[in-house]
Amino acid sequence: MSDIDIATVRRDTPGCHDVVHLNNAGSSLPPGVVVDTVLNYIQQESLIGGYELADQRVEDLAAVYRSVAGVIGASEDEIALMDSATRAWDMAFYSMRFSYGDRILTTTSEYAANFIAYLQVAKRTGARIEVVPDTPTGEIDVVALEAMIDDRVKLISINHMPTNGGLVNPAAEVGEIARRAGITYLLDACQSVGQMPIDVDEIGCDLLSATSRKFLRGPRGVGFLYVRDTMIEDLEPISLDLHAAMWVAADHYVVRRDAKRFETWESSPALRLGLGAACHYATKVGLDAIWNRIASLAAILRTGLAVVPGVTVHDKGRVQGGIVTFGVAGHSAREVKDALATRNINVSISSASSARIDMEARGLEEIVRASVHYFNTEAELDTAIGAVARM
Ligand SMILES: Cc1ncc(COP(=O)(O)O)c(C=O)c1O
């Protein structure tokens, strides 16, 4: 089933011996090399000084941009390192200028933070938010999307994979439409980076946001924004500091020409280096192999859960990734999560407020979210399915 040496990747992952971790869509278990990178750096800072160490490690810190860019087929100048995927996404979205009547096209499964931002901008400017219908299998309907395009559409903004299910949206088909129409395309790839091979040129997005801690298996508290080089100079960040811009005269500043114009001066070098180590590790394991194994493991989990009496699997999508969502008759999602936790099985809960348009349309208040990674084993899935069956 896999080109991945499972024994090796599990040996590299200290946490996987103590817990069945099916919360990789929340925050994955990092490989030891990521943990060591972060801890060693922080320890060094305490010994020689934060600024002094950063000076010594300038080259290593610059290399993080190359590592991140490599994971999505971008170039290093197109990457801004941020403290979360949401901050990355916000920097892109809020830097755009919307006016009354401008249209923002999005998808039913859009993430809450993004939708709240649309609502705020709509309230401030009179821009309109329009949700593109789904196909019968649940992904954004690209035919419907194309029919909605006109010269008032200012932005197409969707998620690649939603927070609340296994669905994979046809990001590249959406990119083709955006390109043909000359419309800016923002892709929330928070759940897909690290899970599958991504190439920003194949997808055709102008802006992409992602995090370190989920399928990339990096540390928490760091994420990144990709901005296509041809867009960088046209998109003046909503806020600037002395790293994003240079104060060149008492009454004048000049904004940087690379994607770092979206960053702030202060950051955590330790976390950034941890993200770099995580990108290296993912690349070494191989993103094609990672994707194949995640998709197979998730399919096994869905099939196994679906035959348990009382269990309903909720995932949509023609193509499905590593997020498996379900409910158990007679038990709340919280009860299922807590029961699994007593057996050292980690899952999480997706509630209606995290993806309200989709959840309300399906009449779902809360669902259990079990998300697999390549280091999980078939035996762990059996354990989880058995534990659900015994509820
Ligand atoms: C689809 C999606 N987008 C964005 C985010 C936000 O990521 P972060 O918490 O790093 O800001 C999440 C987090 O769960 C997510 O699932």
Side-chain angles (χ1 to χ4, degrees):
M1 164 176 161
S2 172
D3 296 335
I4 300 173
D5 180 346
I6 303 305
T8 301
V9 294
R10 286 182 71 78
R11 219 178 303 120
D12 290 348
T13 306
C16 73
H17 306 291
D18 299 324
V19 74
V20 175
H21 193 67
L22 301 178
N23 192 12
N24 296 288
S27 188
S28 188
L29 299 178
V33 63
V34 168
V35 182
D36 292 345
T37 301
V38 174
L39 293 182
N40 290 342
Y41 190 91
I42 289 173
Q43 183 164 41
Q44 282 290 106
E45 272 185 331
S46 76
L47 297 177
I48 73 161
Y51 288 14
E52 291 70 19
L53 184 60
D55 284 347
Q56 282 182 18
R57 300 287 297 273
V58 161
E59 280 308 312
D60 296 334
L61 287 161
V64 174
Y65 293 84
R66 287 194 286 283
S67 306
V68 170
V71 169
I72 59 167
S75 73
E76 59 191 291
D77 288 344
E78 296 174 311
I79 302 297
L81 298 177
M82 318 290 292
D83 54 14
S84 74
T86 299
R87 278 291 161 257
W89 189 97
D90 282 350
M91 253 315 190
F93 177 69
Y94 282 103
S95 299
M96 292 186 66
R97 297 279 167 261
F98 292 95
S99 344
Y100 183 84
D102 282 346
R103 300 168 68 208
I104 299 167
L105 303 187
T106 187
T107 184
T108 57
S109 60
E110 191 63 336
Y111 186 63
N114 305 353
F115 216 97
I116 290 166
Y118 302 144
L119 290 168
Q120 189 186 40
V121 162
K123 192 165 72 177
R124 279 183 186 161
T125 66
R128 294 203 326 249
I129 311 159
E130 295 177 38
V131 178
V132 181
D134 293 337
T135 63
T137 43
E139 46 286 298
I140 186 170
D141 183 338
V142 288
V143 177
L145 170 66
E146 183 130 46
M148 290 169 79
I149 301 291
D150 67 17
D151 56 9
R152 293 314 308 261
V153 177
K154 185 90 186 274
L155 176 69
I156 299 173
S157 175
I158 66 163
N159 63 78
H160 198 182
M161 296 189 193
T163 194
N164 65 329
L167 176 78
V168 182
N169 273 312
E173 289 172 54
V174 171
E176 249 180 70
I177 293 170
R179 243 183 214 163
R180 260 201 310 276
I183 296 167
T184 301
Y185 176 21
L186 166 57
L187 185 67
D188 172 351
C190 190
Q191 293 291 359
S192 57
V193 170
Q195 190 175 163
M196 67 194 313
I198 304 246
D199 184 314
V200 286
D201 288 337
E202 268 171 33
I203 289 177
C205 54
D206 302 299
L207 303 154
L208 175 149
S209 56
T211 184
S212 150
R213 73 180 184 279
K214 296 180 188 287
F215 287 93
L216 268 178
R217 307 183 62 204
R220 296 193 65 172
V222 59
F224 66 89
L225 174 66
Y226 155 81
V227 187
R228 186 169 291 285
D229 54 5
T230 49
M231 261 201 90
I232 293 174
E233 294 201 42
D234 293 338
L235 199 60
E236 177 151 337
I238 184 79
S239 65
L240 293 170
D241 76 350
L242 75 177
H243 165 82
M246 177 112 61
W247 194 17
V248 291
D251 61 352
H252 192 53
Y253 64 84
V254 177
V255 186
R256 298 178 67 112
R257 302 173 78 113
D258 59 16
K260 293 187 184 73
R261 59 170 51 194
F262 295 96
E263 297 180 344
T264 49
W265 186 86
E266 175 57 354
S267 69
S268 165
L271 298 181
R272 289 180 167 192
L273 290 169
L275 167 61
C279 290
H280 266 290
Y281 193 88
T283 308
K284 197 174 72 181
V285 176
L287 281 150
D288 285 304
I290 289 173
W291 174 233
N292 285 338
R293 180 160 170 92
I294 287 178
S296 313
L297 287 175
I300 291 171
L301 183 56
R302 275 186 206 104
T303 312
L305 286 169
V307 297
V308 174
V311 170
T312 308
V313 173
H314 291 298
D315 297 319
K316 305 189 292 184
R318 193 162 30 96
V319 181
Q320 295 182 321
I323 298 181
V324 177
T325 53
F326 63 97
V328 182
H331 294 282
S332 68
R334 165 66 53 186
E335 284 166 356
V336 178
K337 178 180 185 295
D338 290 348
L340 294 177
T342 63
R343 296 170 191 274
N344 282 343
I345 302 168
N346 294 345
V347 296
S348 61
I349 296 171
S350 285
S351 59
S353 61
S354 65
R356 186 164 286 289
I357 307 288
D358 170 50
M359 295 287 275
E360 282 184 0
R362 293 195 279 160
L364 297 170
E365 192 47 49
E366 279 194 335
I367 51 183
V368 185
R369 182 179 75 173
S371 44
V372 302
H373 217 321
Y374 59 85
F375 59 77
N376 289 126
T377 62
E378 291 82 344
E380 287 183 322
L381 303 185
D382 285 345
T383 304
I385 294 163
V388 171
R390 277 193 295 279
M391 283 196 63

